[in-house]
Amino acid sequence: MAASSDLRTTSESINHNDDGEKYADGVQWDEVGFVITPTDFMYTMNCSDGNIFSQGHLIPYRNIELCPSAGILNYGQGILEALKAVRTEDGRIMLFRPEENSLIMKMGAERMCMPSPSVEQFVDAVKQTVLANKRWVPPPGKGSLYLRPLLLGSGSVLSVGPAPECTFLIYASPVGNSSPVGNYHKVYQAQKQARAKGFSDILYLDSVTGKCIEEISAANIFIVMDNVICTPALVHGTILPGVTRSSIMEIALDLGYQVEERLIPREDLLEAGKPSAPELP
């Protein structure tokens, strides 16, 4: 299924024809949470010769086959990204800056010694996946179609080293407006303990000094002090340069805030949380 020529990216709309089958049957959209709901199609393409991916294509959503000696299974050679498609009140389907997700995957692939799709291949694959599963995009305000691009070392390896073949795959699932408890398995236990004590989340400090804030369990953190918005700088390689992070900074600048990327001591976070003193007349 080829992407339509009038598809657009960034925060613009995906134009599509309404073929009369607007929504999937039997879905209680008010009850959709953050769990997998199998959709109709997923997208896949392979790279087994140099750094050039073959022509990708849509296939029915199903389990995939992997050799027991695949790089992803033996040495964890794999990367995932995540983005969403949402439906607007006027029927358009929107994507938010998918090219940025492509660039983040490319950075990860370089560190993992893996080829990655070009920006054009990535964005086209995202569009095709959304269009093929458009009846699973929730009604306006009811959630989104969650897209999970994967880059897997699918080739067979025995000794430690890059897999000789890689597979790029995108699957999709409708999700509600609620967020998952945690996106990364390493935070599960700490987050469970924190919530049992009445805290909403956990905050990670830098591993070098243990004095500066870095991230919460599954997201970047920003603090606001007067007209200044601060977020931890990307200096130790432990903070993801995510699409949401960069977008917030750009929007803040457009709204007239001063934006700082710097090391943020714990004391600054505590200070930002204090109520401002009232101005004297």
Side-chain angles (χ1 to χ4, degrees), residues 170-225:
I170 303 177
Y171 70 89
S173 175
V175 297
N177 290 318
S178 59
S179 298
V181 173
N183 287 339
Y184 310 103
H185 65 87
K186 293 181 180 180
V187 310
Y188 289 168
Q189 185 175 17
Q191 193 175 62
K192 181 178 179 180
Q193 293 172 351
R195 293 187 181 227
K197 295 179 180 180
F199 297 98
S200 61
D201 213 326
I202 52 179
L203 177 68
Y204 286 90
L205 305 178
D206 74 282
S207 60
V208 178
T209 68
K211 297 180 179 179
C212 296
I213 66 174
E214 287 206 334
E215 290 184 307
I216 57 174
S217 60
N220 299 112
I221 185 170
F222 292 81
I223 64 174
V224 182
M225 296 185 290

Side-chain angles (χ1 to χ4, degrees), residues 38-97:
T39 52
D40 297 322
F41 295 97
M42 60 186 187
Y43 184 95
T44 184
M45 64 179 176
N46 296 318
C47 179
S48 58
D49 184 16
N51 294 324
I52 307 300
F53 277 86
S54 62
Q55 179 65 41
H57 57 280
L58 292 161
I59 60 174
Y61 181 87
R62 61 178 183 235
N63 292 339
I64 62 174
E65 292 187 2
L66 286 172
C67 175
S69 57
I72 181 64
L73 297 179
N74 289 261
Y75 300 110
Q77 190 188 21
I79 300 169
L80 63 85
E81 265 299 305
L83 64 160
K84 296 179 180 180
V86 297
R87 192 185 301 271
T88 62
E89 292 289 348
D90 59 5
R92 293 178 297 162
I93 297 176
M94 308 286 286
L95 292 169
F96 184 69
R97 307 179 75 179

Side-chain angles (χ1 to χ4, degrees), residues 233-248:
L234 309 177
V235 293
H236 299 309
T238 54
I239 301 175
L240 291 174
V243 179
T244 303
R245 179 181 183 274
S246 61
S247 299
I248 289 174

